[in-house]
Amino acid sequence: MIYLDNAATTKPCPEAVQAALEAMTDNFGNPSSLHRAGLNAQLAVDRARKSVADSLGALSDNIIFTSGATESNNLALRGISAAYGKRRRRIVASAVEHASVDETLSDLENKGFEVVRVSPREDGRFYAEDFISACNEDTVLLTMMYVNNETGYILPVKEVFTAVKRCYKDIITHTDCVQAYMKLPVKANQLGADLISLSGHKIHGVKGVGALYIRRGVRLIPVVTGGKQEKGIRSGTESVPLICAFGAAVEKLSPTISERFERVSALKTRLTELLSAIEGVEVNSPADGSPYVVNISAAGKRSEIMLHYLESREIYVSSGSACSKGQQSGVLGQFGITGKRADSALRISMTAETTEAEIEAFAQALAEGIASVRG
């Protein structure tokens, strides 16, 4: 099997699996219980929380564990809107957000908020001045992902947040860092972010756990109410096994962000070299995008047909965001990729464990598929 769909999910690393197993078998207490078993579970959660916080240059008190980035994004957008939205009713966002942000924005729009979506310019890039123009004194929230999950485009989060805060200091800033975390440096203060959404299963942790960084002084109205877990911001018994796996993955990956980035950059360079030799293949991702995500179009061959051809060769890629279940999200159109080119888009997403031999096998299979399958 050649697995090149790591933007959808990654294989859990051995350290994450072991941490989850220990929490399920040995350290299975409820963190809220007052006895020793509960305390041991709480200490394990605290260690994972500190690992995530340290990786962001933050304090443990800034980290709230959730069930995943979708919940983190919902908590950020809905929580801020409820806390500050009585007087300020405008939300500004990039037009290429993940569905968990975009659909939440649409729901808030139906509830009376004004949502302004900023598109890239004709050159396919975002500019800070366009976000400043979209904001005004009525703006409560600015949300902008760091790395686009379909194209690998790196959005100018720091530049935009800094510029907007200079003009409107009370605007709350949120960034979905799912495809950037543990791949690019993600530091809360450097990004100028008040809220940061993270996911465990995108960084070789396990599914079902994520986190939300909340800058001190930022107030959220809870989306899930109940007990006082996670400082009352996200009630419900913490999933100790999943949280421990998340922490273990962070501890493993944090020291090697630069080295892994260089390795995957070399893989992307090799991949683009191979693709340039295949007639009809176009690369949709920017040259300076995240090397972990490469979007291509394959000679007018419909994405689903080519995907299943590659699957028959035990090569796994995707046609876009896994959350869209194969449906086009509209993100490619925002970057000027439309029509047959969008219909034939494939996303190849790698990790530092991906090998050059796997990339070469994919390119060969792609070339054979273009020659043999009908569009």
Side-chain angles (χ1 to χ4, degrees), residues 123-375:
D123 61 2
R125 296 186 175 276
F126 287 97
Y127 292 86
E129 49 263 42
D130 295 337
F131 286 87
I132 294 173
S133 298
C135 293
N136 59 19
E137 297 293 343
D138 191 44
T139 305
V140 62
L141 177 67
L142 167 60
T143 182
M144 183 184 197
M145 68 184 352
Y146 195 175
V147 173
N148 182 258
N149 55 302
E150 296 188 43
T151 66
Y153 178 86
I154 300 173
L155 281 75
V157 172
K158 178 182 179 180
E159 178 186 351
V160 170
F161 284 3
T162 301
V164 168
K165 289 267 195 182
R166 193 178 296 127
C167 298
Y168 304 100
K169 63 181 178 64
D170 292 329
I171 291 178
I172 305 298
T173 53
H174 165 254
T175 180
D176 174 348
C177 278
V178 167
Q179 296 297 342
Y181 187 52
M182 292 293 114
K183 299 176 179 68
L184 304 176
V186 177
K187 299 296 182 183
N189 289 338
Q190 292 177 10
L191 290 177
D194 297 313
L195 302 159
I196 300 175
S197 297
L198 307 173
S199 172
H201 75 102
K202 308 291 189 174
I203 64 161
H204 303 281
V206 295
K207 300 170 187 67
V209 65
L212 181 65
Y213 160 86
I214 307 173
R215 183 178 62 79
R216 181 172 293 180
V218 173
R219 185 165 60 94
L220 288 177
I221 301 299
V223 174
V224 177
T225 55
K228 299 301 182 184
Q229 296 93 344
E230 298 302 297
K231 299 167 59 175
I233 295 174
R234 200 279 185 181
S235 296
T237 301
E238 296 94 340
S239 178
V240 181
L242 306 188
I243 290 171
C244 288
F246 190 7
V250 170
E251 289 175 15
K252 179 181 182 179
L253 295 182
S254 285
T256 60
I257 291 175
S258 296
E259 293 89 334
R260 288 184 290 105
F261 185 90
E262 291 178 5
R263 170 162 173 71
V264 179
S265 294
L267 289 172
K268 178 182 177 181
T269 298
R270 178 58 177 153
L271 174 61
T272 53
E273 289 173 353
L274 293 166
L275 294 175
S276 67
I278 304 174
E279 185 176 354
V281 173
E282 298 176 279
V283 177
N284 300 322
S285 295
D288 59 353
S290 169
Y292 288 85
V293 178
V294 180
N295 193 293
I296 67 171
S297 292
K301 307 294 183 180
R302 283 188 295 152
S303 303
E304 186 176 354
I305 292 174
M306 186 58 68
L307 185 152
H308 289 305
Y309 173 82
L310 292 169
E311 180 186 19
S312 72
R313 305 282 292 271
E314 293 191 279
I315 300 173
Y316 299 99
V317 300
S318 72
S319 57
S321 172
C323 297
S324 65
K325 296 288 188 180
Q327 300 298 312
Q328 285 190 25
S329 67
V331 166
L332 293 181
Q334 289 289 329
F335 287 111
I337 303 161
T338 59
K340 290 184 177 180
R341 186 171 173 182
D343 290 339
S344 62
L346 295 173
R347 182 184 67 180
I348 302 97
S349 45
M350 301 173 283
T351 74
E353 284 71 47
T354 303
T355 67
E356 187 171 326
E358 289 176 327
I359 293 301
E360 292 170 351
F362 160 75
Q364 181 179 345
L366 178 68
E368 292 171 359
I370 290 173
S372 62
V373 303
R374 294 185 176 181

